[in-house]
Amino acid sequence: MTEDAPAPSEAPLARQLLPDSAAISPDGHLSLAGLDVVELAERFGTPVFIYDEDHLRRRCAEAVAAFPDGVAYATKAFLCKAMAAIALEAGMDLDVSTAGECAVALAAGAPVDRLILHGNNKSSDELAIAGTEVPGRYKRIVVDSFDEIARLAALAPHPLGPRPVLVRVTPGVQAHTHEYVMTGHEDTKFGFSVASGAADAAVEALGELGSVALVGVHAHIGSQIFRLDGYERAMAVLARFVAQHRLTELCVGGGLGVGYLNGEQTPRLEEWAAHLRAAAAASGLPEGVRMTAEPGRAIVASAAITAYRVGTIKALPGIRNYVAVDGGMSDNPRPVLYGSGYEAFLARAVDAGRPFRARVVGKHCESGDVLVADARLPDSVRVGDILATPVTGAYGHSMASNYNRLGRPPVVFVRGGSARVVVRRETPEDLLALEA
Ligand code: LLP
């Protein structure tokens, strides 16, 4: 995703890219939570997202410990009722940015006062949680534009009192990541610019609304960030802003990077939090200001693998080898969208060296349907094998599409030797059910 990506490696897959419960059986097969992945693929079909449930629970607990003032799970990374329930049970709030995410969170049993509403173009219905019988107020609404302030002004007062809001600002920082997932710089659709004075004007406008209570500031500088200096630079701007407006809460957003490739390390949530706290102290953030965060990828990415079945292998002499699997850009659009790199391995031979160069592609009707542009696989790869990609727990299932009318894959959670389907496979009947 960045120009710093390591060169493709022929070494066996690095173990730290696999979920916590990963183990290798004496026959070389990968197991997760004690279950053989080849057997899971037989049982649930392919492609299939397999999540290590304890891994998810542990990351949520780590986030809660790292941010005692409050931490929300960014549901856009991966959302279903089972995931929302895990985050809530661990003590995380939920960041939702559409009525759809809100509906899933509520269906999972989330009280509305554990939801943080995001979005650069929220509708009045989303702001008011229209159409539901929920009694509470959002824990926070993260205000993103002057039009939204007008929409808030037009809402009927909430019976419980003013709605707590944060003002989303852009601190003018270029994070070191892909352009499409940078959000803290000046040329962005998100938030109010601090440098231009728009953020000050937003604070003033919100102060005049009796129907909201401004408690703090929010900034999210981007996603898949490894170099933490971007947060330091943002913190300097934010600390000044918080002090100037006597705010009591600072939410630093999400964005912590995750390793996808052999040789890439995943920073721990505690390290990120410690770094942020040090930056806050160095920037003179006033004592007593609550510091909150909303990680998504760091919670879920490496909890899952996607298992596919190899359907064809084509050797083009002097050009390259193509290994085609039964999913593709519909279950993982990240390689096509961002040029993101993934590793590939065989579930029956996790420890094997990978001298065979191939492009791993899907079954969609276009050449851009690439999962791993320059993959390394064991020489023994053959049709019928279960080929898997690790670190597909974030922005995979949540960004999946029905291109070529392929059903979205199921999501299976494994824990303590048992597996459960938390989202079933989408069928042609499901898709036809939408049609008149
Ligand atoms: N908070 C806000 C306001 C966000 O917009 C996001 C992500 C997060 C938190 C969580 O960020 P994380 O910790 O997951 O980096 N589809 C892209 C990533 C888009 C991120 C969008 N916003 C990808 O697949 O890389």
Side-chain angles (χ1 to χ4, degrees):
M1 191 147 173
T2 68
E3 66 273 24
D4 311 330
S9 159
E10 296 191 358
L13 179 77
R15 289 290 286 277
Q16 82 260 17
L17 298 177
L18 289 168
D20 289 352
S21 73
I24 302 178
S25 327
D27 61 1
H29 285 214
L30 173 64
S31 74
L32 294 176
L35 297 168
D36 185 299
V37 168
V38 175
E39 283 170 24
L40 288 171
E42 293 287 347
R43 181 167 152 205
F44 296 105
T46 50
V48 55
F49 288 95
I50 307 172
Y51 281 79
D52 175 351
E53 189 172 337
D54 283 335
H55 181 123
L56 293 170
R57 289 181 186 278
R58 216 167 287 132
R59 290 303 167 281
C60 290
E62 284 169 17
V64 169
F67 293 96
D69 293 337
V71 61
Y73 166 59
T75 63
K76 66 208 81 184
F78 164 57
L79 179 61
C80 59
K81 288 190 292 178
M83 179 62 220
I86 285 173
L88 288 166
E89 274 167 35
M92 295 186 88
D93 297 320
L94 299 177
D95 144 7
V96 296
S97 43
T98 62
E101 288 178 350
C102 184
V104 178
L106 294 172
V112 70
D113 62 7
R114 302 240 342 239
L115 303 185
I116 302 191
L117 182 66
H118 268 284
N120 70 302
N121 183 15
K122 306 174 190 74
S123 68
S124 297
D125 282 354
E126 285 168 335
L127 289 167
I129 330 179
T132 55
E133 296 293 311
V134 283
R137 285 168 303 181
Y138 289 114
K139 179 163 187 175
R140 301 284 182 263
I141 295 174
V142 184
V143 179
D144 204 282
S145 69
F146 290 108
D147 294 308
E148 183 180 333
I149 295 176
R151 262 170 237 160
L152 283 168
L155 290 185
H158 199 286
L160 293 178
R163 297 172 166 88
V165 302
L166 303 180
V167 59
R168 177 162 179 174
V169 305
T170 46
V173 164
Q174 294 269 10
H176 187 75
T177 186
H178 192 285
E179 183 193 356
Y180 288 6
V181 293
M182 278 181 191
T183 41
H185 53 311
E186 289 294 321
D187 181 1
T188 173
K189 68 172 182 167
F190 295 105
F192 299 94
S193 147
V194 173
S196 74
D200 293 327
V203 168
E204 199 174 315
L206 287 165
E208 284 163 13
L209 291 191
S211 59
V212 304
L214 175 63
V215 291
V217 64
H218 175 286
H220 170 77
I221 59 170
S223 194
Q224 186 60 357
I225 297 170
F226 286 101
R227 285 183 24 189
L228 301 180
D229 55 312
Y231 288 105
E232 272 164 40
R233 284 178 286 133
M235 189 63 81
V237 177
L238 296 172
R240 221 175 309 127
F241 190 83
V242 164
Q244 180 193 341
H245 294 288
R246 296 198 175 79
L247 301 172
T248 56
E249 189 169 307
L250 165 59
C251 179
V252 298
L256 183 62
V258 162
Y260 283 82
L261 301 173
N262 274 20
E264 285 183 336
Q265 300 299 324
T266 296
R268 296 166 61 81
L269 283 148
E270 300 91 282
E271 287 169 41
W272 182 46
H275 192 93
L276 288 166
R277 261 188 279 282
S283 305
L285 186 73
E287 284 288 312
V289 172
R290 291 185 301 279
M291 193 169 74
T292 64
E294 49 197 24
R297 190 189 316 264
I299 303 292
V300 294
S302 50
I305 66 165
T306 309
Y308 305 91
R309 195 175 291 277
V310 174
T312 65
I313 299 178
K314 210 173 266 184
L316 303 186
I319 304 177
R320 71 172 81 246
N321 301 307
Y322 280 93
V323 172
V325 297
D326 50 2
M329 63 194 292
S330 55
D331 61 74
N332 187 0
R334 300 192 67 257
V336 184
L337 277 176
Y338 319 116
S340 305
Y342 284 84
E343 298 287 344
F345 65 97
L346 296 182
R348 64 170 168 79
V350 203
D351 254 351
R354 300 177 301 167
F356 182 73
R357 281 182 79 162
R359 177 162 287 179
V360 177
V361 297
K363 64 183 276 132
H364 293 281
C365 302
E366 58 177 280
S367 299
D369 173 27
V370 172
L371 285 170
V372 189
D374 191 12
R376 299 294 187 276
L377 288 164
D379 265 333
S380 66
V381 59
R382 57 178 180 264
V383 168
D385 266 332
I386 299 302
L387 180 152
T389 48
V391 202
T392 54
Y395 305 107
H397 190 264
S398 70
M399 290 177 71
S401 77
N402 295 123
Y403 184 35
N404 289 133
R405 303 281 89 181
L406 226 59
R408 276 172 276 234
V411 178
V412 171
F413 278 14
V414 293
R415 186 183 202 197
S418 38
R420 61 182 175 127
V421 176
V422 297
V423 183
R424 71 164 167 78
R425 185 181 303 284
E426 206 169 26
T427 64
E429 292 70 40
D430 290 325
L431 301 179
L432 281 166
L434 299 173
E435 300 197 17

